[in-house]
Amino acid sequence: MITNELVNNFISHSPGFHKDIELSEIDEKHTNILREAYRQIRSVNGLTVSNFRSWKAQNDGAVPAQVSFSHFRLHGVIKTILKYFYMTFVRYRENKFLILSLLDDVSVINDLGAEKLLIDNPVHLTPGVGNFYRTSGSSVNTRWLRYVYILKRILDMNLLKNGGVWVDIGCYYGGIQGLVRKYNPRSKLVLVDFHHQLCRSYIYLNELFPDAIHILPDEIDKYGDINNIPEGGIMYVPVSEYVKIKDQKADLVTNFFSLGEMRREFFSSYMDSRLFKESENIYLVNRVVSSPFFEKTYDTDVSILDYIKSFRKIKYFDLFPMHHYLLLKRKLFGRVGFRNVSSPYFEIITTKK
């Protein structure tokens, strides 16, 4: 199916598609994302092949300017050259910092032993890619480097057996799911997010795996236990329907970045559920302090202390290295300049005791 048909099919199987904005626990950031998403979907063009994963409210992250035949094919010759000169000569400092950060991330990937994964999965060949940078025999962007790193962790630590159930909270467009599924084709994927994000994932994963069983929101009840999902099946669970799976167990449960952005009520609804307490492996990447006193980044008081549970064994813990050295140009204390984010991110993997 073409993108329009996929979008219409997903919406027709999602009775609550336009009701996420009514959820009382949503933080300010995600409220704004939802409003923009609904505007995008209601627009004349709606979700298209070129904007379902890089749009006004979310994207794959900035990349340095570059000229190559791959860029010409994606953006056209004139646009590619104009962007290159603009970034190189007008925004040269920002471009320099982007190059350094991206190469640092590539070095982390290589030190982890994931160089082959990077080479075997060039991002410019993935559906709907908006920007990329060619380096080290492959192509990458900020978000894709993060996904390759996480993929390597999952594979090396055997967090998901082939045919196992993986529940990911906050899937965005399904990029990490597509990567893991490639190396674990029998895995059963359960994606939990707002309806519009699940729709983006449905577009992306349908392009990669058109023959897979895609279980849409109004079909969830047919399967009851998520372990009954057919091998290779992909289930799309709206956040408003999380109650249907919260008391179940999985082989792997993950959340990357978004738990630390939630208000405590929403955060607790996940962390206090049986799914997070009793599943075999939990893999989380989130901010050490969601809202430091000197820069109240998110509307929450969640910190690293809220993720460490005495009834689970810590298998791995460290700072998350991807984008750790990235400097962003932003306004703080009334001054505009290049700064790191207000809080670093931690990476923790726990198992049942």
Side-chain angles (χ1 to χ4, degrees):
M1 289 188 283
I2 61 173
T3 302
N4 260 357
E5 292 175 333
L6 289 172
V7 172
N8 291 334
N9 186 56
F10 188 89
I11 293 177
S12 69
H13 286 278
S14 305
F17 190 90
H18 294 285
K19 295 183 178 180
D20 286 343
I21 197 74
E22 299 173 10
L23 296 170
S24 59
E25 302 92 345
I26 301 178
D27 57 280
E28 183 179 354
K29 173 189 173 181
H30 288 94
T31 297
N32 292 331
I33 288 176
L34 281 167
R35 286 173 179 157
E36 187 58 43
Y38 289 145
R39 276 195 290 268
Q40 180 194 35
I41 292 167
R42 285 194 302 265
S43 70
V44 175
N45 294 323
L47 288 179
T48 68
V49 173
S50 63
N51 74 6
F52 75 87
R53 68 185 260 188
S54 286
W55 52 297
K56 185 176 180 179
Q58 290 176 302
N59 54 52
D60 277 338
V63 297
Q66 192 177 49
V67 174
S68 74
F69 286 113
S70 299
H71 288 87
F72 290 158
R73 282 192 291 270
L74 182 64
H75 297 298
V77 175
I78 295 176
K79 185 176 180 180
T80 299
I81 292 176
L82 287 176
K83 179 183 177 181
Y84 178 79
F85 278 98
Y86 175 69
M87 291 295 293
T88 302
F89 296 105
V90 178
R91 299 174 64 178
Y92 64 95
R93 288 187 67 197
E94 180 178 350
N95 199 59
K96 178 182 177 180
F97 290 145
L98 284 173
I99 292 173
L100 286 173
S101 174
L102 189 137
L103 293 180
D104 288 343
D105 286 348
V106 170
S107 294
V108 170
I109 292 286
N110 293 340
D111 287 347
L112 195 64
E115 184 176 7
K116 189 175 188 305
L117 290 178
L118 209 58
I119 293 173
D120 290 346
N121 297 284
V123 72
H124 78 281
L125 298 181
T126 59
V129 65
N131 54 41
F132 62 89
Y133 187 83
R134 299 199 70 115
T135 183
S136 302
S138 187
S139 62
V140 301
N141 59 38
T142 302
R143 189 179 294 273
W144 195 251
L145 283 165
R146 182 194 310 171
Y147 288 165
V148 172
Y149 175 91
I150 292 169
L151 167 67
K152 180 63 172 174
R153 283 281 185 222
I154 291 174
L155 294 178
D156 281 0
M157 303 190 77
N158 195 29
L159 300 182
L160 180 65
K161 62 185 180 183
N162 203 359
V165 178
W166 171 25
V167 179
D168 182 46
I169 312 296
C171 56
Y172 187 26
Y173 73 85
I176 182 62
Q177 281 76 18
L179 279 171
V180 173
R181 172 68 184 276
K182 177 178 178 179
Y183 296 92
N184 196 328
R186 292 167 49 211
S187 58
K188 305 171 184 181
L189 309 183
V190 181
L191 286 61
V192 181
D193 212 321
F194 296 112
H195 284 88
H196 78 95
Q197 302 288 49
L198 294 176
C199 187
R200 299 173 199 280
S201 295
Y202 178 58
I203 295 168
Y204 183 81
L205 296 173
N206 220 290
E207 176 74 19
L208 293 181
F209 312 111
D211 297 327
I213 296 174
H214 295 266
I215 304 167
L216 300 183
D218 67 350
E219 301 168 322
I220 296 171
D221 291 337
K222 295 179 183 178
Y223 293 88
D225 190 332
I226 55 178
N227 289 279
N228 293 332
I229 295 172
E231 285 193 349
I234 306 171
M235 177 180 282
Y236 303 83
V237 180
V239 294
S240 55
E241 302 294 323
Y242 178 68
V243 64
K244 294 181 177 179
I245 67 168
K246 73 182 184 67
D247 293 323
Q248 301 186 42
K249 293 193 293 186
D251 297 281
L252 174 63
V253 177
T254 60
N255 174 265
F256 305 114
F257 300 92
S258 61
L259 274 177
E261 301 171 358
M262 299 177 187
R263 288 180 177 167
R264 182 166 290 277
E265 302 95 307
F266 230 6
F267 173 87
S268 297
S269 70
Y270 290 109
M271 292 297 295
D272 293 341
S273 65
R274 184 183 182 214
L275 186 69
F276 271 75
K277 288 180 177 179
E278 298 185 21
S279 289
E280 190 64 33
N281 296 295
I282 305 291
Y283 183 10
L284 306 173
V285 175
N286 274 282
R287 290 167 67 98
V288 174
V289 179
S290 291
S291 292
F293 81 92
F294 53 88
E295 188 178 359
K296 296 287 186 181
T297 315
Y298 297 110
D299 185 19
T300 183
D301 62 350
V302 171
S303 77
I304 189 174
L305 301 177
D306 296 295
Y307 298 87
I308 300 174
K309 306 296 182 181
S310 61
F311 50 82
R312 294 193 63 85
K313 178 182 178 181
I314 296 178
K315 188 174 183 178
Y316 178 84
F317 178 85
D318 207 331
L319 287 182
F320 187 65
M322 306 306 291
H323 330 319
H324 183 70
Y325 301 104
L326 178 63
L327 295 178
L328 301 172
K329 191 174 185 179
R330 57 196 184 89
K331 189 174 183 179
L332 184 64
F333 304 126
R335 296 181 292 274
V336 177
F338 288 94
R339 299 178 172 91
N340 57 309
V341 293
S342 59
S343 172
Y345 289 78
F346 68 87
E347 178 181 8
I348 187 170
I349 299 172
T350 65
T351 59
K352 290 195 304 183
K353 281 190 175 180

